[in-house]
Amino acid sequence: MSENKLHVSSSPHVRSKVTTQSIMLTVIIALLPATLFGIYNFGLRALMLVLVSVGTCVLTEYLYEFFMHRKITVKDGSAIVTGLLLALNLPASAPWWIPVIGGIFAILIVKQLFGGLGQNIMNPALAARCFLLISFTGRMTDFVVPEDAFGNVYDTISSATPLAAMKAGEAVDLLPMFVGNIKGTIGETSVIAILIGAVILLATKVISPRIPVAYIGTFSVLVLIYSLATGNGFDLVFLAQHLCGGGLMLGAWFMATDYVTAPITPKGQILYGCCIGLFTWLFRFLGNSAEGVSYAIIFCNLLVPLIERVTRPTAFGKGGKKA
């Protein structure tokens, strides 16, 4: 018998051609529609913030690993994804040093000091955004649009986002919120662009629909219950405005589904999505802020170990009753 017919190796024996690099590349491609629309909608300043954010994240990861004599991992694309997500969560009016500080915080503090990719307990981009919101509230909530895609100045007065206007009791138009011609961060305004990216992620099976569907579904049910309880009836337009406003869609499809900070068990993913939907509703409707997606996801990131513990499936041969 030929020795070449039998190959014995250590586990794992189930293999896949999917790599971290291929997954990150797919996520980058899925983020392109929202990124390109943000650059079109907010002008060249948005492009500058995207480039600075991505460049800062990649450079920070490279320098840290170089000086700490660790394996250089910038080629896996995870730092690019972090920088891109951070940029899409910034207002177009942010100064250049905002993504620099945010990128360093995301990569150095949240990612590398916890052990690198796969060890961080929070989504680096969202953690950086929350850090920037707390540290530079004025800069992070200044949604002035300095120029359009052709460099023409058309708005020099800061005004409220649709969510803030709704919280103040003002009427908002749903169609611009769906298309993306509204005030907001660079990547969160166009629901159409985000959904195109979501289709790419689902079609390539990079993400499972469990978390986004549980998140959006739980939030929708709570919004409709709130609408009924406040005497506004079964207001689907009100629900659609909350789904299209702010960072809910971007958070649901691109940040809540982060492999590292989301549960790995199917039941845990559903429970995790429900928790994010609950906390997003609490922050938006009972809190002072009109938003709440970032804080909801970050808070639920910290609950993942507990969620996985209570949803861990029973191992084969254990837990059954004796005959």
Side-chain angles (χ1 to χ4, degrees):
M1 179 177 175
S2 175
E3 294 181 359
N4 295 328
K5 292 183 179 180
L6 183 63
H7 178 70
V8 179
S9 63
S10 61
S11 60
H13 300 294
V14 178
R15 312 251 175 127
S16 173
K17 294 182 180 180
V18 176
T19 64
T20 301
Q21 188 176 23
S22 66
I23 292 173
M24 294 302 167
L25 178 60
T26 304
V27 175
I28 292 170
I29 293 172
L31 283 170
L32 284 180
T35 304
L36 294 176
F37 183 86
I39 295 171
Y40 169 79
N41 201 30
F42 295 104
L44 294 178
R45 187 176 182 85
L47 175 61
M48 181 270 292
L49 291 175
V50 170
L51 293 177
V52 171
S53 181
V54 172
T56 299
C57 289
V58 172
L59 183 60
T60 301
E61 182 160 303
Y62 175 82
L63 291 177
Y64 177 85
E65 292 174 338
F66 177 79
F67 286 110
M68 297 301 292
H69 304 288
R70 298 175 59 179
K71 180 182 178 181
I72 306 299
T73 60
V74 292
K75 290 184 179 180
D76 65 16
S78 60
I80 298 176
V81 171
T82 297
L84 192 53
L85 284 173
L86 175 60
L88 297 183
N89 278 280
L90 297 177
S93 60
W96 64 270
W97 49 266
I98 285 288
V100 172
I101 294 176
I104 294 173
F105 182 87
I107 298 298
L108 183 60
I109 305 299
V110 182
K111 182 179 178 182
Q112 293 298 338
L113 292 186
F114 278 92
L117 182 65
Q119 304 297 320
N120 48 283
I121 61 174
M122 293 183 290
N123 183 291
L126 277 184
R129 187 195 185 193
C130 293
F131 169 74
L132 292 172
L133 278 170
I134 295 172
S135 303
F136 310 102
T137 306
R139 297 282 191 178
M140 289 294 291
T141 55
D142 180 13
F143 295 107
V144 174
V145 183
E147 60 184 31
D148 63 12
F150 305 100
N152 301 312
V153 176
Y154 65 87
D155 190 354
T156 58
I157 302 175
S158 178
S159 62
T161 61
L163 280 183
M166 290 172 63
K167 197 171 184 67
E170 302 175 13
V172 296
D173 193 353
L174 177 60
L175 183 59
M177 297 175 69
F178 184 73
V179 175
N181 299 321
I182 57 173
K183 298 291 181 68
T185 66
I186 294 172
E188 73 180 16
T189 57
S190 177
V191 175
I192 296 177
I194 294 171
L195 290 180
I196 292 173
V199 170
I200 294 174
L201 294 180
L202 291 172
T204 55
K205 297 183 179 180
V206 169
I207 66 170
S208 163
R210 293 189 194 96
I211 294 174
V213 170
Y215 178 11
I216 296 171
T218 300
F219 180 79
S220 299
V221 170
L222 292 173
V223 170
L224 291 176
I225 292 175
Y226 177 85
S227 180
L228 290 169
T230 53
N232 295 319
F234 200 74
D235 196 342
L236 293 178
V237 175
F238 179 70
L239 170 61
Q241 289 169 339
H242 268 283
L243 291 177
C244 295
L248 191 144
M249 284 296 173
L250 184 65
W253 295 103
F254 287 96
M255 290 177 284
T257 54
D258 176 33
Y259 282 9
V260 178
T261 55
I264 61 174
T265 61
K267 291 181 180 179
Q269 291 174 354
I270 295 173
L271 179 58
Y272 174 71
C274 292
C275 287
I276 300 175
L278 170 62
F279 282 104
T280 300
W281 179 83
L282 288 173
F283 289 139
R284 280 194 181 184
F285 286 84
L286 304 183
N288 293 325
S289 174
E291 198 26 286
V293 172
S294 298
Y295 292 112
I297 296 177
I298 287 295
F299 182 76
C300 290
N301 285 165
L302 303 178
L303 298 179
V304 167
L306 178 60
I307 292 175
E308 289 185 333
R309 182 176 180 179
V310 300
T311 59
R312 182 173 54 195
T314 304
F316 181 76
K318 293 185 178 181
K321 295 181 179 180
K322 292 182 179 180

